[in-house]
Amino acid sequence: MRFTPRGTRFFELLTDAARNLVTATALLRELVAAEPGEREPLAKRLHEVEHHGDELLHTIMVELNSSFVTPFDREDIQALAAKIDDVLDFMDTAADLAVLYRLDAFPPGTDVLVRVLCRASELTAESMPGLAKVGELEPFWIEINELENEADRIYRRILAHLFEPGGDALEVLKTKEVVEQFELAADAFEHLADVVQTIAVKES
């Protein structure tokens, strides 16, 4: 048996971490749709979710250090956990900056970009239990790659709108910095999927 009972603990923890992403993207979607005065409580809740993600990452690292046998390479487990954490960090930063910068409104297309992140988080949460049969996860990394490409296109359209003549330069810069975090989160999802693909290649 390649996958020991102890090894299944990693699948459970990574699945919990991925489900945490679903919670985070749902909160981010609420925040983008909210009025400026309603954003701070949502940002605080998202920060709590991010903190829970940090705790899960710590648990995974402790498990790695105490396990003699792991289901696949230790560095790949560590990389996968770290990429999940990266997604959370970018979303938490976006929410925090939106509150700190007191954005009046998100530019058109931001809600569409966040919907892409929601789909990516759902796919990730659905796919993590499949790590035990990682060779069957090819549709996962293919769709994540497509979502990242879509996120890039949406982000470019948002930038085009932001830099139209007549906008307030300071507001443009602040808004760009916030929306950029969404695009970085989409990139992080792709990097996460790349790790899954790497594991699949090694295990094939």
Side-chain angles (χ1 to χ4, degrees):
M1 290 292 289
R2 181 175 179 80
F3 299 111
T4 66
R6 185 168 180 78
T8 62
R9 173 68 170 156
F10 291 108
F11 302 141
E12 294 166 3
L13 288 169
L14 290 166
T15 298
D16 287 345
R19 288 173 179 160
N20 202 44
L21 290 178
V22 176
T23 303
T25 50
L27 284 169
L28 195 64
R29 191 172 181 177
E30 283 188 57
L31 185 142
V32 168
E35 296 296 324
E38 300 171 345
R39 291 176 190 152
E40 187 169 358
L42 292 166
K44 287 181 178 177
R45 286 169 58 193
L46 203 158
H47 186 66
E48 291 169 0
V49 172
E50 189 274 337
H51 180 66
H52 180 54
D54 287 341
E55 292 174 339
L56 287 168
L57 176 62
H58 175 72
T59 302
I60 291 169
M61 293 302 104
V62 170
E63 192 77 12
L64 269 178
N65 291 331
S66 61
S67 297
F68 180 71
V69 178
T70 57
F72 38 83
D73 288 349
R74 292 171 184 273
E75 61 266 28
D76 291 329
I77 295 173
Q78 183 174 355
L80 192 52
K83 296 307 178 186
I84 292 173
D85 189 61
D86 286 347
V87 176
L88 273 176
D89 287 344
F90 288 127
M91 290 192 288
D92 182 48
T93 299
D96 193 37
L97 289 177
V99 172
L100 290 174
Y101 288 170
R102 300 178 184 177
L103 294 188
D104 289 333
F106 288 94
T110 306
D111 58 332
V112 183
L113 183 53
V114 174
R115 283 202 297 271
V116 171
L117 296 179
C118 287
R119 175 58 183 158
S121 67
E122 291 164 0
L123 274 175
T124 303
E126 291 167 4
S127 299
M128 286 302 101
L131 286 171
K133 297 180 179 178
V134 73
E136 298 176 5
L137 290 179
E138 184 175 0
F140 162 68
W141 65 71
I142 289 174
E143 186 168 352
I144 289 290
N145 182 264
E146 291 170 351
L147 287 171
E148 195 278 331
N149 289 336
E150 183 180 353
D152 280 345
R153 290 191 292 270
I154 297 167
Y155 179 61
R156 288 193 293 268
R157 289 197 294 270
I158 292 173
L159 290 185
H161 172 79
L162 278 177
F163 289 110
E164 286 178 353
D168 179 88
L170 182 58
E171 286 300 315
V172 167
L173 289 175
K174 291 192 296 186
T175 304
K176 178 183 179 295
E177 186 174 352
V178 174
V179 177
E180 184 178 30
Q181 301 303 313
F182 300 153
E183 199 273 335
L184 289 171
D187 287 346
F189 270 117
E190 184 178 38
H191 298 155
L192 186 163
D194 289 343
V195 175
V196 173
Q197 185 176 9
T198 297
I199 295 169
V201 170
K202 289 181 178 180
E203 296 296 307
S204 61

